PDB file of all heavy atoms in Angstrom:
ATOM      1  N   LYS E  50      37.186  69.478 -13.230  1.00 95.00           N
ATOM      2  CA  LYS E  50      37.955  70.592 -12.715  1.00 95.00           C
ATOM      3  C   LYS E  50      38.107  70.566 -11.227  1.00 95.00           C
ATOM      4  O   LYS E  50      39.198  70.784 -10.697  1.00 95.00           O
ATOM      5  CB  LYS E  50      37.296  71.906 -13.085  1.00 95.00           C
ATOM      6  CG  LYS E  50      37.308  72.292 -14.516  1.00 95.00           C
ATOM      7  CD  LYS E  50      36.581  73.599 -14.715  1.00 95.00           C
ATOM      8  CE  LYS E  50      36.243  73.842 -16.137  1.00 95.00           C
ATOM      9  NZ  LYS E  50      35.389  75.028 -16.332  1.00 95.00           N
ATOM     10  N   THR E  51      36.998  70.266 -10.548  1.00 96.00           N
ATOM     11  CA  THR E  51      36.975  70.322  -9.046  1.00 96.00           C
ATOM     12  C   THR E  51      37.236  68.996  -8.356  1.00 96.00           C
ATOM     13  O   THR E  51      37.387  68.964  -7.121  1.00 96.00           O
ATOM     14  CB  THR E  51      35.636  70.879  -8.578  1.00 96.00           C
ATOM     15  OG1 THR E  51      34.625  69.928  -8.974  1.00 96.00           O
ATOM     16  CG2 THR E  51      35.352  72.234  -9.145  1.00 96.00           C
ATOM     17  N   ARG E  52      37.242  67.907  -9.134  1.00 93.00           N
ATOM     18  CA  ARG E  52      37.413  66.494  -8.560  1.00 93.00           C
ATOM     19  C   ARG E  52      36.267  66.130  -7.599  1.00 93.00           C
ATOM     20  O   ARG E  52      36.437  65.301  -6.748  1.00 93.00           O
ATOM     21  CB  ARG E  52      38.766  66.347  -7.900  1.00 93.00           C
ATOM     22  CG  ARG E  52      39.926  66.605  -8.827  1.00 93.00           C
ATOM     23  CD  ARG E  52      41.135  65.846  -8.354  1.00 93.00           C
ATOM     24  NE  ARG E  52      42.199  65.994  -9.280  1.00 93.00           N
ATOM     25  CZ  ARG E  52      42.599  65.053 -10.138  1.00 93.00           C
ATOM     26  NH1 ARG E  52      41.939  63.925 -10.203  1.00 93.00           N
ATOM     27  NH2 ARG E  52      43.613  65.278 -10.961  1.00 93.00           N
ATOM     28  N   LYS E  53      35.104  66.731  -7.769  1.00 93.00           N
ATOM     29  CA  LYS E  53      33.931  66.382  -6.969  1.00 93.00           C
ATOM     30  C   LYS E  53      33.279  65.185  -7.643  1.00 93.00           C
ATOM     31  O   LYS E  53      33.484  64.913  -8.803  1.00 93.00           O
ATOM     32  CB  LYS E  53      32.931  67.500  -6.866  1.00 93.00           C
ATOM     33  CG  LYS E  53      33.406  68.673  -6.050  1.00 93.00           C
ATOM     34  CD  LYS E  53      32.377  69.750  -5.965  1.00 93.00           C
ATOM     35  CE  LYS E  53      32.806  70.901  -5.126  1.00 93.00           C
ATOM     36  NZ  LYS E  53      31.824  71.958  -5.101  1.00 93.00           N
ATOM     37  N   ARG E  54      32.393  64.499  -6.880  1.00 90.00           N
ATOM     38  CA  ARG E  54      31.611  63.399  -7.421  1.00 90.00           C
ATOM     39  C   ARG E  54      30.540  63.914  -8.314  1.00 90.00           C
ATOM     40  O   ARG E  54      29.793  64.865  -7.963  1.00 90.00           O
ATOM     41  CB  ARG E  54      31.036  62.589  -6.280  1.00 90.00           C
ATOM     42  CG  ARG E  54      30.404  61.239  -6.673  1.00 90.00           C
ATOM     43  CD  ARG E  54      29.963  60.492  -5.413  1.00 90.00           C
ATOM     44  NE  ARG E  54      29.235  59.356  -5.793  1.00 90.00           N
ATOM     45  CZ  ARG E  54      29.666  58.125  -5.717  1.00 90.00           C
ATOM     46  NH1 ARG E  54      30.894  57.906  -5.228  1.00 90.00           N
ATOM     47  NH2 ARG E  54      28.956  57.109  -6.031  1.00 90.00           N
ATOM     48  N   PRO E  55      30.347  63.333  -9.522  1.00 90.00           N
ATOM     49  CA  PRO E  55      29.309  63.850 -10.463  1.00 90.00           C
ATOM     50  C   PRO E  55      27.885  63.570  -9.939  1.00 90.00           C
ATOM     51  O   PRO E  55      27.679  62.742  -9.069  1.00 90.00           O
ATOM     52  CB  PRO E  55      29.589  63.065 -11.767  1.00 90.00           C
ATOM     53  CG  PRO E  55      30.440  61.904 -11.389  1.00 90.00           C
ATOM     54  CD  PRO E  55      31.139  62.274 -10.111  1.00 90.00           C
ATOM     55  N   ALA E  56      26.940  64.230 -10.570  1.00 86.00           N
ATOM     56  CA  ALA E  56      25.547  64.100 -10.162  1.00 86.00           C
ATOM     57  C   ALA E  56      25.101  62.647 -10.422  1.00 86.00           C
ATOM     58  O   ALA E  56      24.278  62.113  -9.664  1.00 86.00           O
ATOM     59  CB  ALA E  56      24.668  65.053 -10.942  1.00 86.00           C
ATOM     60  N   CYS E  57      25.533  62.053 -11.507  1.00 80.00           N
ATOM     61  CA  CYS E  57      25.219  60.661 -11.808  1.00 80.00           C
ATOM     62  C   CYS E  57      26.538  59.911 -11.958  1.00 80.00           C
ATOM     63  O   CYS E  57      27.072  59.841 -13.038  1.00 80.00           O
ATOM     64  CB  CYS E  57      24.324  60.534 -13.034  1.00 80.00           C
ATOM     65  SG  CYS E  57      23.835  58.849 -13.406  1.00 80.00           S
ATOM     66  N   ASP E  58      26.989  59.339 -10.905  1.00 82.00           N
ATOM     67  CA  ASP E  58      28.237  58.588 -10.912  1.00 82.00           C
ATOM     68  C   ASP E  58      28.115  57.285 -11.694  1.00 82.00           C
ATOM     69  O   ASP E  58      26.995  56.842 -11.958  1.00 82.00           O
ATOM     70  CB  ASP E  58      28.680  58.316  -9.491  1.00 82.00           C
ATOM     71  CG  ASP E  58      30.208  58.012  -9.378  1.00 82.00           C
ATOM     72  OD1 ASP E  58      30.922  58.466 -10.254  1.00 82.00           O
ATOM     73  OD2 ASP E  58      30.535  57.339  -8.423  1.00 82.00           O
ATOM     74  N   ILE E  59      29.183  56.661 -12.089  1.00 85.00           N
ATOM     75  CA  ILE E  59      29.115  55.465 -12.887  1.00 85.00           C
ATOM     76  C   ILE E  59      28.369  54.313 -12.140  1.00 85.00           C
ATOM     77  O   ILE E  59      27.685  53.564 -12.766  1.00 85.00           O
ATOM     78  CB  ILE E  59      30.522  55.021 -13.370  1.00 85.00           C
ATOM     79  CG1 ILE E  59      30.413  53.977 -14.425  1.00 85.00           C
ATOM     80  CG2 ILE E  59      31.384  54.575 -12.167  1.00 85.00           C
ATOM     81  CD1 ILE E  59      31.649  53.782 -15.231  1.00 85.00           C
ATOM     82  N   GLU E  60      28.549  54.257 -10.842  1.00 87.00           N
ATOM     83  CA  GLU E  60      27.782  53.226 -10.074  1.00 87.00           C
ATOM     84  C   GLU E  60      26.280  53.446 -10.123  1.00 87.00           C
ATOM     85  O   GLU E  60      25.551  52.499 -10.243  1.00 87.00           O
ATOM     86  CB  GLU E  60      28.250  53.198  -8.599  1.00 87.00           C
ATOM     87  CG  GLU E  60      29.666  52.594  -8.418  1.00 87.00           C
ATOM     88  CD  GLU E  60      30.722  53.662  -8.425  1.00 87.00           C
ATOM     89  OE1 GLU E  60      30.385  54.850  -8.516  1.00 87.00           O
ATOM     90  OE2 GLU E  60      31.912  53.299  -8.319  1.00 87.00           O
ATOM     91  N   ASP E  61      25.876  54.690 -10.073  1.00 86.00           N
ATOM     92  CA  ASP E  61      24.463  55.020 -10.191  1.00 86.00           C
ATOM     93  C   ASP E  61      23.894  54.660 -11.574  1.00 86.00           C
ATOM     94  O   ASP E  61      22.821  54.148 -11.700  1.00 86.00           O
ATOM     95  CB  ASP E  61      24.205  56.535  -9.931  1.00 86.00           C
ATOM     96  CG  ASP E  61      24.585  56.969  -8.522  1.00 86.00           C
ATOM     97  OD1 ASP E  61      24.529  56.101  -7.621  1.00 86.00           O
ATOM     98  OD2 ASP E  61      24.972  58.129  -8.375  1.00 86.00           O
ATOM     99  N   GLY E  62      24.726  54.991 -12.570  1.00 83.00           N
ATOM    100  CA  GLY E  62      24.308  54.617 -13.936  1.00 83.00           C
ATOM    101  C   GLY E  62      24.207  53.127 -14.150  1.00 83.00           C
ATOM    102  O   GLY E  62      23.286  52.671 -14.799  1.00 83.00           O
ATOM    103  N   LEU E  63      25.123  52.379 -13.575  1.00 87.00           N
ATOM    104  CA  LEU E  63      25.062  50.923 -13.686  1.00 87.00           C
ATOM    105  C   LEU E  63      23.799  50.389 -13.009  1.00 87.00           C
ATOM    106  O   LEU E  63      23.082  49.568 -13.588  1.00 87.00           O
ATOM    107  CB  LEU E  63      26.300  50.263 -13.066  1.00 87.00           C
ATOM    108  CG  LEU E  63      26.234  48.741 -12.952  1.00 87.00           C
ATOM    109  CD1 LEU E  63      26.287  48.129 -14.315  1.00 87.00           C
ATOM    110  CD2 LEU E  63      27.334  48.237 -12.084  1.00 87.00           C
ATOM    111  N   ARG E  64      23.532  50.834 -11.790  1.00 87.00           N
ATOM    112  CA  ARG E  64      22.368  50.357 -11.061  1.00 87.00           C
ATOM    113  C   ARG E  64      21.057  50.689 -11.762  1.00 87.00           C
ATOM    114  O   ARG E  64      20.076  49.961 -11.693  1.00 87.00           O
ATOM    115  CB  ARG E  64      22.373  50.889  -9.625  1.00 87.00           C
ATOM    116  CG  ARG E  64      23.396  50.298  -8.758  1.00 87.00           C
ATOM    117  CD  ARG E  64      23.285  50.768  -7.297  1.00 87.00           C
ATOM    118  NE  ARG E  64      24.403  50.318  -6.551  1.00 87.00           N
ATOM    119  CZ  ARG E  64      25.389  51.097  -6.154  1.00 87.00           C
ATOM    120  NH1 ARG E  64      25.390  52.364  -6.451  1.00 87.00           N
ATOM    121  NH2 ARG E  64      26.402  50.629  -5.451  1.00 87.00           N
ATOM    122  N   SER E  65      21.045  51.846 -12.407  1.00 85.00           N
ATOM    123  CA  SER E  65      19.748  52.287 -13.081  1.00 85.00           C
ATOM    124  C   SER E  65      19.559  51.628 -14.472  1.00 85.00           C
ATOM    125  O   SER E  65      18.473  51.613 -14.933  1.00 85.00           O
ATOM    126  CB  SER E  65      19.714  53.771 -13.220  1.00 85.00           C
ATOM    127  OG  SER E  65      20.709  54.199 -14.065  1.00 85.00           O
ATOM    128  N   SER E  66      20.625  51.064 -15.022  1.00 88.00           N
ATOM    129  CA  SER E  66      20.469  50.534 -16.397  1.00 88.00           C
ATOM    130  C   SER E  66      20.714  48.996 -16.462  1.00 88.00           C
ATOM    131  O   SER E  66      20.349  48.394 -17.477  1.00 88.00           O
ATOM    132  CB  SER E  66      21.434  51.201 -17.364  1.00 88.00           C
ATOM    133  OG  SER E  66      22.762  51.010 -16.969  1.00 88.00           O
ATOM    134  N   ALA E  67      21.255  48.370 -15.478  1.00 91.00           N
ATOM    135  CA  ALA E  67      21.641  46.963 -15.494  1.00 91.00           C
ATOM    136  C   ALA E  67      20.405  46.055 -15.775  1.00 91.00           C
ATOM    137  O   ALA E  67      20.503  45.162 -16.654  1.00 91.00           O
ATOM    138  CB  ALA E  67      22.331  46.530 -14.266  1.00 91.00           C
ATOM    139  N   THR E  68      19.323  46.285 -15.111  1.00 89.00           N
ATOM    140  CA  THR E  68      18.105  45.472 -15.285  1.00 89.00           C
ATOM    141  C   THR E  68      17.617  45.597 -16.722  1.00 89.00           C
ATOM    142  O   THR E  68      17.239  44.593 -17.324  1.00 89.00           O
ATOM    143  CB  THR E  68      17.024  45.871 -14.308  1.00 89.00           C
ATOM    144  OG1 THR E  68      17.560  45.792 -13.011  1.00 89.00           O
ATOM    145  CG2 THR E  68      15.834  44.957 -14.408  1.00 89.00           C
ATOM    146  N   CYS E  69      17.598  46.780 -17.263  1.00 87.00           N
ATOM    147  CA  CYS E  69      17.117  46.980 -18.634  1.00 87.00           C
ATOM    148  C   CYS E  69      18.037  46.285 -19.647  1.00 87.00           C
ATOM    149  O   CYS E  69      17.565  45.669 -20.572  1.00 87.00           O
ATOM    150  CB  CYS E  69      17.055  48.486 -18.942  1.00 87.00           C
ATOM    151  SG  CYS E  69      15.846  49.378 -17.946  1.00 87.00           S
ATOM    152  N   LEU E  70      19.318  46.398 -19.413  1.00 90.00           N
ATOM    153  CA  LEU E  70      20.264  45.763 -20.334  1.00 90.00           C
ATOM    154  C   LEU E  70      20.154  44.247 -20.263  1.00 90.00           C
ATOM    155  O   LEU E  70      20.237  43.562 -21.317  1.00 90.00           O
ATOM    156  CB  LEU E  70      21.691  46.173 -19.985  1.00 90.00           C
ATOM    157  CG  LEU E  70      21.990  47.653 -20.207  1.00 90.00           C
ATOM    158  CD1 LEU E  70      23.375  48.017 -19.677  1.00 90.00           C
ATOM    159  CD2 LEU E  70      21.893  48.025 -21.721  1.00 90.00           C
ATOM    160  N   LEU E  71      19.967  43.659 -19.058  1.00 90.00           N
ATOM    161  CA  LEU E  71      19.775  42.236 -18.984  1.00 90.00           C
ATOM    162  C   LEU E  71      18.459  41.780 -19.675  1.00 90.00           C
ATOM    163  O   LEU E  71      18.434  40.719 -20.277  1.00 90.00           O
ATOM    164  CB  LEU E  71      19.751  41.836 -17.516  1.00 90.00           C
ATOM    165  CG  LEU E  71      21.079  41.846 -16.778  1.00 90.00           C
ATOM    166  CD1 LEU E  71      20.886  41.640 -15.296  1.00 90.00           C
ATOM    167  CD2 LEU E  71      22.030  40.845 -17.378  1.00 90.00           C
ATOM    168  N   GLY E  72      17.440  42.617 -19.589  1.00 88.00           N
ATOM    169  CA  GLY E  72      16.207  42.354 -20.327  1.00 88.00           C
ATOM    170  C   GLY E  72      16.397  42.328 -21.816  1.00 88.00           C
ATOM    171  O   GLY E  72      15.841  41.446 -22.490  1.00 88.00           O
ATOM    172  N   VAL E  73      17.198  43.229 -22.322  1.00 88.00           N
ATOM    173  CA  VAL E  73      17.493  43.228 -23.764  1.00 88.00           C
ATOM    174  C   VAL E  73      18.243  41.994 -24.163  1.00 88.00           C
ATOM    175  O   VAL E  73      17.949  41.370 -25.188  1.00 88.00           O
ATOM    176  CB  VAL E  73      18.273  44.489 -24.122  1.00 88.00           C
ATOM    177  CG1 VAL E  73      18.800  44.431 -25.558  1.00 88.00           C
ATOM    178  CG2 VAL E  73      17.399  45.741 -23.953  1.00 88.00           C
ATOM    179  N   VAL E  74      19.206  41.564 -23.341  1.00 91.00           N
ATOM    180  CA  VAL E  74      19.969  40.352 -23.699  1.00 91.00           C
ATOM    181  C   VAL E  74      19.040  39.140 -23.655  1.00 91.00           C
ATOM    182  O   VAL E  74      19.106  38.293 -24.571  1.00 91.00           O
ATOM    183  CB  VAL E  74      21.140  40.131 -22.677  1.00 91.00           C
ATOM    184  CG1 VAL E  74      21.774  38.796 -22.837  1.00 91.00           C
ATOM    185  CG2 VAL E  74      22.155  41.247 -22.843  1.00 91.00           C
ATOM    186  N   ALA E  75      18.150  39.059 -22.686  1.00 89.00           N
ATOM    187  CA  ALA E  75      17.261  37.924 -22.625  1.00 89.00           C
ATOM    188  C   ALA E  75      16.302  37.928 -23.825  1.00 89.00           C
ATOM    189  O   ALA E  75      15.979  36.873 -24.378  1.00 89.00           O
ATOM    190  CB  ALA E  75      16.423  37.971 -21.323  1.00 89.00           C
ATOM    191  N   LEU E  76      15.830  39.104 -24.219  1.00 87.00           N
ATOM    192  CA  LEU E  76      14.932  39.185 -25.369  1.00 87.00           C
ATOM    193  C   LEU E  76      15.622  38.752 -26.639  1.00 87.00           C
ATOM    194  O   LEU E  76      15.097  37.966 -27.465  1.00 87.00           O
ATOM    195  CB  LEU E  76      14.398  40.617 -25.496  1.00 87.00           C
ATOM    196  CG  LEU E  76      13.458  40.858 -26.652  1.00 87.00           C
ATOM    197  CD1 LEU E  76      12.155  40.106 -26.459  1.00 87.00           C
ATOM    198  CD2 LEU E  76      13.214  42.357 -26.771  1.00 87.00           C
ATOM    199  N   ARG E  77      16.846  39.235 -26.863  1.00 90.00           N
ATOM    200  CA  ARG E  77      17.569  38.923 -28.076  1.00 90.00           C
ATOM    201  C   ARG E  77      18.041  37.491 -28.151  1.00 90.00           C
ATOM    202  O   ARG E  77      18.154  36.917 -29.258  1.00 90.00           O
ATOM    203  CB  ARG E  77      18.748  39.869 -28.256  1.00 90.00           C
ATOM    204  CG  ARG E  77      18.293  41.268 -28.576  1.00 90.00           C
ATOM    205  CD  ARG E  77      19.434  42.181 -28.871  1.00 90.00           C
ATOM    206  NE  ARG E  77      18.945  43.513 -29.177  1.00 90.00           N
ATOM    207  CZ  ARG E  77      19.688  44.582 -29.279  1.00 90.00           C
ATOM    208  NH1 ARG E  77      21.009  44.479 -29.137  1.00 90.00           N
ATOM    209  NH2 ARG E  77      19.175  45.722 -29.559  1.00 90.00           N
ATOM    210  N   THR E  78      18.299  36.879 -27.053  1.00 91.00           N
ATOM    211  CA  THR E  78      18.753  35.469 -27.037  1.00 91.00           C
ATOM    212  C   THR E  78      17.563  34.480 -26.864  1.00 91.00           C
ATOM    213  O   THR E  78      17.735  33.312 -26.873  1.00 91.00           O
ATOM    214  CB  THR E  78      19.771  35.207 -25.903  1.00 91.00           C
ATOM    215  OG1 THR E  78      19.182  35.495 -24.659  1.00 91.00           O
ATOM    216  CG2 THR E  78      21.049  36.018 -26.179  1.00 91.00           C
ATOM    217  N   ARG E  79      16.385  35.118 -26.669  1.00 83.00           N
ATOM    218  CA  ARG E  79      15.113  34.324 -26.479  1.00 83.00           C
ATOM    219  C   ARG E  79      15.209  33.440 -25.263  1.00 83.00           C
ATOM    220  O   ARG E  79      14.671  32.357 -25.208  1.00 83.00           O
ATOM    221  CB  ARG E  79      14.816  33.446 -27.684  1.00 83.00           C
ATOM    222  CG  ARG E  79      14.721  34.224 -28.967  1.00 83.00           C
ATOM    223  CD  ARG E  79      13.292  34.636 -29.232  1.00 83.00           C
ATOM    224  NE  ARG E  79      13.165  35.125 -30.563  1.00 83.00           N
ATOM    225  CZ  ARG E  79      12.769  36.364 -30.845  1.00 83.00           C
ATOM    226  NH1 ARG E  79      12.494  37.187 -29.885  1.00 83.00           N
ATOM    227  NH2 ARG E  79      12.608  36.741 -32.101  1.00 83.00           N
ATOM    228  N   ARG E  80      15.952  33.888 -24.227  1.00 72.00           N
ATOM    229  CA  ARG E  80      16.084  33.140 -22.982  1.00 72.00           C
ATOM    230  C   ARG E  80      15.693  33.971 -21.836  1.00 72.00           C
ATOM    231  O   ARG E  80      16.158  35.064 -21.648  1.00 72.00           O
ATOM    232  CB  ARG E  80      17.475  32.644 -22.809  1.00 72.00           C
ATOM    233  CG  ARG E  80      17.895  31.626 -23.902  1.00 72.00           C
ATOM    234  CD  ARG E  80      19.188  31.010 -23.608  1.00 72.00           C
ATOM    235  NE  ARG E  80      19.100  30.290 -22.379  1.00 72.00           N
ATOM    236  CZ  ARG E  80      20.113  29.714 -21.799  1.00 72.00           C
ATOM    237  NH1 ARG E  80      21.306  29.818 -22.313  1.00 72.00           N
ATOM    238  NH2 ARG E  80      19.981  29.069 -20.652  1.00 72.00           N
TER     239      ARG E  80
END
């Protein structure tokens, strides 16, 4: 509605989850 920046912007979400997601990929591919 207001066009303000959200409390958790998409860049913040990426930075907070990228390491975990890479860990899951490494675990599933056994690499």
Side-chain angles (χ1 to χ4, degrees):
K50 289 179 197 173
T51 63
R52 299 204 178 258
K53 290 182 180 176
R54 189 174 172 107
C57 182
D58 200 26
I59 193 162
E60 288 93 3
D61 298 331
L63 172 67
R64 287 186 190 105
S65 65
S66 63
T68 305
C69 297
L70 295 172
L71 288 172
V73 170
V74 170
L76 179 67
R77 289 187 179 168
T78 59
R79 305 267 191 242
R80 294 189 60 186

